[in-house]
Amino acid sequence: GESVGLHLPTLSVQEGDNSIINCAYSNSASDYFIWYKQESGKGPQFIIDIRSNMDKRQGQRVTVLLNKTVKHLSLQIAATQPGDSAVYFCAETEGNNRLAFGKGNQVVVIP
Amino acid sequence: EPEVTQTPSHQVTQMGQEVILRCVPISNHLYFYWYRQILGQKVEFLVSFYNNEISEKSEIFDDQFSVERPDGSNFTLKIRSTKLEDSAMYFCASSESGAGNTIYFGEGSWLTVV
């Protein structure tokens, strides 16, 4: 079946460096994509979203890139901080308002 | 900042017992959801709810599960006759409108079935 998945299970990054988290999706009909951050024992926290009619969107220290040609989504975090250590999930809308989550990618920030 | 609140944060229940998980969605939101996350796995969709009825449900959401909006603020998930494999973190979520609208999650209710 169609799915959303992440390439790398764990990313270790030095504090202050930039982080890039990648996500592949296979549902070409998806039109809305979201990145969530989940800290241990907490719920998914919205970071940034992007619609399929865009290829880039910027937030505070974060940028999401969407490449519909290769069905690839990425999250860039600038100047990574210790508080950025978490699991990051990409998700896509599947159907009306049902999110399909990827498996998650652990980011570990090294002080 | 408005947030989705859930109670209890943690519940331990005996196998076969009924559990009700409670949620207060963000006040101006019209769409409500339940998701679950088994330890170490990805977040899975259970059900969406709009206009006092289920709008979509997954294959996980069988007859054991039910949802209700008993009043103007609460949204509940009932799990009848709990099984060991129901142990998971259950997240309530809400959004202002439907498809393509940001979905905000609560902190979760951790259910342990023993």
Side-chain angles (χ1 to χ4, degrees):
Chain A
E2 295 183 323
S3 64
V4 175
L6 296 174
H7 294 307
L8 301 175
T10 303
L11 174 67
S12 296
V13 59
Q14 205 72 36
E15 181 178 356
D17 288 351
N18 297 334
S19 305
I20 299 176
I21 308 164
N22 296 301
C23 176
Y25 67 94
S26 56
N27 186 355
S28 56
S30 292
D31 59 3
Y32 179 58
F33 305 87
I34 313 100
W35 281 100
Y36 284 94
K37 171 186 179 183
Q38 187 177 30
E39 296 175 88
S40 181
K42 295 189 175 183
Q45 178 187 352
F46 171 85
I47 301 174
I48 193 167
D49 58 3
I50 189 168
R51 300 185 193 283
S52 59
N53 61 351
M54 302 171 69
D55 53 21
K56 181 179 180 179
R57 190 159 187 234
Q58 288 184 290
Q60 188 178 17
R61 280 202 308 120
V62 294
T63 301
V64 56
L65 299 176
L66 174 63
N67 186 331
K68 294 181 289 293
T69 303
V70 295
K71 297 177 191 170
H72 185 266
L73 190 70
S74 68
L75 177 70
Q76 300 177 359
I77 306 174
T80 313
Q81 302 169 358
D84 295 328
S85 293
V87 176
Y88 290 81
F89 293 93
C90 62
E92 60 176 329
T93 52
E94 182 179 311
N96 193 10
N97 41 26
R98 168 178 179 165
L99 289 177
F101 280 82
K103 290 186 178 180
N105 193 353
Q106 178 79 52
V107 171
V108 177
V109 180
I110 303 166
Chain B
E1 183 177 315
E3 58 182 19
V4 177
T5 58
Q6 292 185 239
T7 54
S9 57
H10 188 192
Q11 182 160 352
V12 180
T13 190
Q14 293 274 346
M15 192 167 54
Q17 295 297 303
E18 177 181 284
V19 163
I20 297 176
L21 305 178
R22 304 180 191 279
C23 169
V24 179
I26 295 172
S27 62
N28 64 331
H29 286 187
L30 301 177
Y31 289 77
F32 316 119
Y33 315 87
W34 283 100
Y35 285 76
R36 80 170 185 190
Q37 186 178 31
I38 294 171
L39 186 63
Q41 298 187 23
K42 62 183 180 180
V43 178
E44 302 173 291
F45 171 81
L46 292 178
V47 66
S48 59
F49 190 87
Y50 169 72
N51 199 26
N52 282 319
E53 61 182 22
I54 291 173
S55 53
E56 193 170 358
K57 60 183 181 179
S58 72
E59 52 282 353
I60 301 170
F61 194 89
D62 58 21
D63 292 343
Q64 183 193 5
F65 296 88
S66 62
V67 289
E68 190 179 26
R69 186 151 166 85
D71 53 43
S73 60
N74 290 284
F75 179 52
T76 62
L77 174 68
K78 182 188 290 185
I79 310 173
R80 287 181 283 275
S81 188
T82 50
K83 302 177 289 219
L84 295 177
E85 53 265 37
D86 294 328
S87 294
M89 182 75 92
Y90 288 82
F91 293 109
C92 177
S94 69
S95 64
E96 195 171 325
S97 61
N101 212 261
T102 305
I103 297 176
Y104 295 93
F105 285 79
E107 293 289 271
S109 292
W110 181 246
L111 175 65
T112 302
V113 182
V114 296

